[in-house]
Amino acid sequence: MISGVSNSPYAYRPKATAQTAAAAPSAPAADSSAIAPRPQQPVVQAGGGFDAAGLLDGIMNMLKSVGAFFVGLFNKIFKKGGEQPAPVDDNTLKLAQQYNLLPTKENVDAFVTEVQGYAAPGPGGFQVLGPGSPNTEAIGQIQTALKAWGFPAEVTGQYDAPTQAAVKAFKQANGLHQTYKTPDGNFAVNEYFDYQTFQKMQEKMNGGGTTTPAPAPTPTQGNGTLNWQAIADQYKLYPTEDNVQAFLAEVKSYQTPDAQGFKAIGPGYPNQNEIQEVQAALARVGHQVTPNGQWDAATVKAVMDFKAKYGLHQNYRSQDGNWAINEYADKAMLQKLSSLLG
């Protein structure tokens, strides 16, 4: 059972944050550390602060001609003397230690395959971007979008450390991950702008999906007091200080387990088994959701529909004065779901 939720069919098993191992500058860094998500409140919708359609076209056109960089990356990491290392146990262990991977042959093979795939264009000529990529125009456009959504990127045209952190935060906030795992058994999230990340960005620009902005510094006024009006405007909240404080308190509660060990399940949650259990339970009570371990759009809809049906809501109000309902499976929701399932 999830700690702190009585009679729950799910099991919450808190995990220690994975330590990201030092890797070569050109290699993808395996990192499963959680970036605490926020409730569904898109900062910029398509047609807002930037030209979403033009940006999409620009990114796609820019990502079609820089495969040589990743060919070199693959050759540098995995080939010696023009030959790929033989798949022996010692080599598997060496790669696992060097790149902070779960030390199984299947997992290391998944890592090798994914990095090798960065060298070849993907659907529509898409080309992965990462540290050292020379495509400054495409990088700048991606940085523009990430910054507009509240992620910590500046528009420099360089795939620098802030951009890498912003890409990883974007992935984690949207439940995206790599095909390989870190030593703690969780799927890794690296700093490369791959095709699935582009697809999620495209979905967000078109007004769909469940993207939530990354945590940002709390705005303050010149005298250091909380600028609650700015927060209310940004996240479309009912404009009172008490309501904004309630919103901030609830968002903060998503970052760490409570005294009973419970943590709300939502976008970016690392335990796929627990997500599947929630999805299976929602399906049992009549919601159209597939237990796939991904906090996808169907799961978001099912969670929000379930809350609305049973009068469950957040502790803060939306801009229209009504109680907000977000996509997180919080304790009240899971308790209600457990009671229905007996």
Side-chain angles (χ1 to χ4, degrees), residues 212-224:
T212 57
T218 303
T220 58
Q221 299 178 6
N223 58 5

Side-chain angles (χ1 to χ4, degrees), residues 94-124:
K94 179 180 178 181
L95 287 174
Q97 291 174 337
Q98 184 174 2
Y99 296 109
N100 196 35
L101 308 172
L102 184 70
T104 67
K105 184 178 185 305
E106 180 182 23
N107 189 58
V108 173
D109 285 349
F111 170 75
V112 172
T113 299
E114 182 165 329
V115 175
Q116 183 181 20
Y118 292 169

Side-chain angles (χ1 to χ4, degrees), residues 274-289:
E274 291 181 14
I275 292 175
Q276 285 179 317
E277 291 172 354
V278 174
Q279 291 170 324
L282 286 167
R284 286 178 59 189
V285 296
H287 292 275
Q288 299 298 313
V289 60

